[in-house]
Amino acid sequence: MDFTFTEEQQAAVETAKAVFSTVTPDAVPSPALTPGAVSEDLDRPLWSRLAAADLLSLVVSPRHGGAGLDPVALCLVLREAARVLARVPLLETSAVAMTIERYAPEHTAAALLPRAGRGELVLTAASQGRTGHDPAERAVTAHRDGTDWILDGLQTAVPWAHGADLIAVPAHTPEGRTALALLPRAHEGLGLAAQYSTNGELLAELRLDSVRLDGTDVIDAEGAWEWLRGMLTTGTCALALGLGEAVLTMTSQYTGKREQFGHPVATFQAVAVQAADRYIDLRAMEVTLWQAAWRLACETEAPLPAAGDIAVAKIWASEGVRRVVQTAQHLHGGFGADTDYPLHRYHAWAKHLELSLGPAAAHEEALGDLLAAHPLG
């Protein structure tokens, strides 16, 4: 078996590193220092640089102006984005774009994907449901009215919605299926209320009151929402991995310089053991992430569906990134709470990633259901 990344995937990583090298975590707005939202919009200059480097079209097929790479390549780039706390909806736009290409009619894909790849169209997804714990597809209803669709309901904690052009909203139909509506941000019957994440980013509560959409704006294909949710969850794991790796590097540098009793604290057994435990967490997060991304990329047959591997990756990502930032705060001592130092920003972002798309306990329950439905052996 060959576990190395392809030349194209490695090239994407090098391009991402070059683009994100312009981002300084110290300059990322701090939720501890900013009342309300840290910003009203995404980082538009960085978004333009990502478009110029063809990273927004990375997973779009060549016929729509993209590179045609797979979820593994996207996760590699997302890992680099999280290292510097990049304030862009790279995950959401890429995941929705991939879903449109796979499940939407060709004319819809042709109209949207080239613009998304050029950075002209920002995409996001409503994936948290009403509370962040219940299924997102149950929070909105959709029924047909002739060739149109009528949507009613509420979605909470939608990332980047105030700056997005299209929001992918899952909704359940009277037949028990899930449709995926591509909803313009400014649309009759749609209301957006401000919410705030733990990292200070502006989220939105979406209220849909008899929103009418043309049939061409709704993806009614079987499996579209499930695939999008899986890609969003896997991408969140990639963000957690990149953030955790940056925090552990920061911690090793600090403990290597900080001295007590005439020796660097990194040489103390209690410190070294804690850092080693967090390194093991990161390696477990990494291997489970690539397993989930590979399952999405190749769709191979296995005793468990890809959702099982995705659940395992999210369990490790949620628990692992929490343990990494907690240990980092402990080993930094009071310095970790200094708002002139970037660690508190990483801690706030880690909490957001830990709870996004469900905490570890929710995915443990989902994994148990899958194991019960697909007995192994």
Side-chain angles (χ1 to χ4, degrees), residues 124 151 164-169 180-190 192 206-208 211-213 217:
T124 191
L151 284 76
D165 299 290
L166 283 179
I167 306 169
V169 181
L180 194 60
L182 302 177
L183 185 61
R185 171 170 46 88
H187 195 82
E188 185 178 357
L190 173 64
L192 274 69
L206 269 61
R207 290 188 177 273
L208 294 85
V211 172
R212 181 177 292 270
L213 282 181
D217 296 325

Side-chain angles (χ1 to χ4, degrees), residues 303-305 308 363-377:
L304 280 181
H363 290 273
E364 289 168 352
E365 182 178 351
L367 181 60
D369 292 340
L370 285 169
L371 289 170
H374 302 80
L376 303 179

Side-chain angles (χ1 to χ4, degrees), residues 8-29:
E8 292 83 1
Q9 291 166 345
Q10 294 177 35
V13 172
E14 294 306 314
T15 302
K17 286 180 177 179
V19 173
F20 292 127
S21 66
T22 62
V23 181
T24 306
D26 286 344
V28 174

Side-chain angles (χ1 to χ4, degrees), residues 55-239:
L55 289 175
L56 298 184
S57 59
L58 186 73
V59 290
V60 174
S61 70
R63 72 176 182 276
H64 296 305
L69 297 189
D70 61 7
V72 174
L74 175 60
C75 288
L76 285 165
V77 173
L78 290 171
R79 181 168 68 170
E80 299 303 320
R83 292 181 194 274
V84 296
L85 306 181
R87 298 185 52 259
V88 287
L90 179 59
L91 167 58
E92 292 81 4
T93 291
S94 299
V96 173
M98 295 175 78
T99 305
I100 290 172
E101 181 146 25
R102 291 170 65 95
Y103 294 98
E106 177 58 30
H107 61 83
T108 300
L112 299 178
L113 295 183
R115 295 177 59 203
R118 295 192 297 267
E120 300 168 4
L121 202 64
V122 178
L123 311 174
T124 191
S127 55
Q128 303 292 345
R130 286 179 176 270
T131 65
H133 297 280
D134 54 335
E137 65 273 17
R138 306 301 299 176
V140 176
T141 62
H143 67 271
R144 287 186 179 274
D145 182 17
T147 60
D148 293 345
W149 288 82
I150 308 297
L151 284 76
D152 290 277
L154 181 146
Q155 290 275 1
T156 192
V158 181
W160 313 108
H162 293 273
D165 299 290
L166 283 179
I167 306 169
V169 181
H172 68 279
T173 68
E175 296 78 24
R177 301 177 59 210
T178 300
L180 194 60
L182 302 177
L183 185 61
R185 171 170 46 88
H187 195 82
E188 185 178 357
L190 173 64
L192 274 69
Q195 296 179 316
Y196 309 110
S197 172
T198 56
N199 60 2
E201 292 296 337
L202 181 62
L203 307 177
E205 179 187 80
L206 269 61
R207 290 188 177 273
L208 294 85
D209 185 11
S210 298
V211 172
R212 181 177 292 270
L213 282 181
D214 185 86
T216 58
D217 296 325
V218 176
I219 301 174
D220 195 24
E222 189 71 34
W225 163 240
E226 289 74 14
W227 197 90
L228 173 57
R229 180 176 55 194
M231 189 64 246
L232 289 170
T233 305
T234 303
T236 300
C237 296
L239 293 172

Side-chain angles (χ1 to χ4, degrees), residues 133-360:
H133 297 280
D134 54 335
E137 65 273 17
R138 306 301 299 176
V140 176
T141 62
H143 67 271
R144 287 186 179 274
D145 182 17
T147 60
D148 293 345
W149 288 82
I150 308 297
L151 284 76
D152 290 277
L154 181 146
Q155 290 275 1
T156 192
V158 181
W160 313 108
H162 293 273
D165 299 290
L166 283 179
I167 306 169
V169 181
H172 68 279
T173 68
E175 296 78 24
R177 301 177 59 210
T178 300
L180 194 60
L182 302 177
L183 185 61
R185 171 170 46 88
H187 195 82
E188 185 178 357
L190 173 64
L192 274 69
Q195 296 179 316
Y196 309 110
S197 172
T198 56
N199 60 2
E201 292 296 337
L202 181 62
L203 307 177
E205 179 187 80
L206 269 61
R207 290 188 177 273
L208 294 85
D209 185 11
S210 298
V211 172
R212 181 177 292 270
L213 282 181
D214 185 86
T216 58
D217 296 325
V218 176
I219 301 174
D220 195 24
E222 189 71 34
W225 163 240
E226 289 74 14
W227 197 90
L228 173 57
R229 180 176 55 194
M231 189 64 246
L232 289 170
T233 305
T234 303
T236 300
C237 296
L239 293 172
L241 174 63
L243 185 149
E245 289 174 333
V247 168
L248 190 61
T249 298
M250 188 186 311
T251 304
S252 67
Q253 292 171 347
Y254 176 79
T255 56
K257 296 176 182 177
R258 176 78 167 89
E259 290 191 0
Q260 285 186 356
F261 311 110
H263 299 280
V265 296
T267 61
F268 299 163
Q269 186 178 31
V271 172
V273 167
Q274 290 184 70
D277 285 343
R278 300 296 78 83
Y279 177 82
I280 293 171
D281 278 334
L282 289 173
R283 297 290 67 80
M285 291 166 63
E286 183 175 20
V287 70
T288 54
L289 164 66
W290 299 133
Q291 172 71 9
W294 174 75
R295 287 295 305 277
L296 284 172
C298 65
E299 299 182 347
T300 57
E301 293 293 330
L304 280 181
D309 295 289
I310 294 169
V312 171
K314 187 58 166 69
I315 292 166
W316 273 103
S318 293
E319 296 285 356
V321 76
R322 175 177 55 79
R323 287 193 290 257
V324 168
V325 294
Q326 285 179 342
T327 297
Q329 290 283 11
H330 176 65
L331 296 183
H332 274 83
F335 199 58
D338 188 342
T339 55
D340 291 330
Y341 190 67
L343 181 58
H344 77 284
R345 294 174 171 84
Y346 283 93
H347 200 156
W349 280 61
K351 179 56 67 174
H352 172 69
L353 293 175
E354 176 193 347
L355 300 177
S356 291
L357 297 159

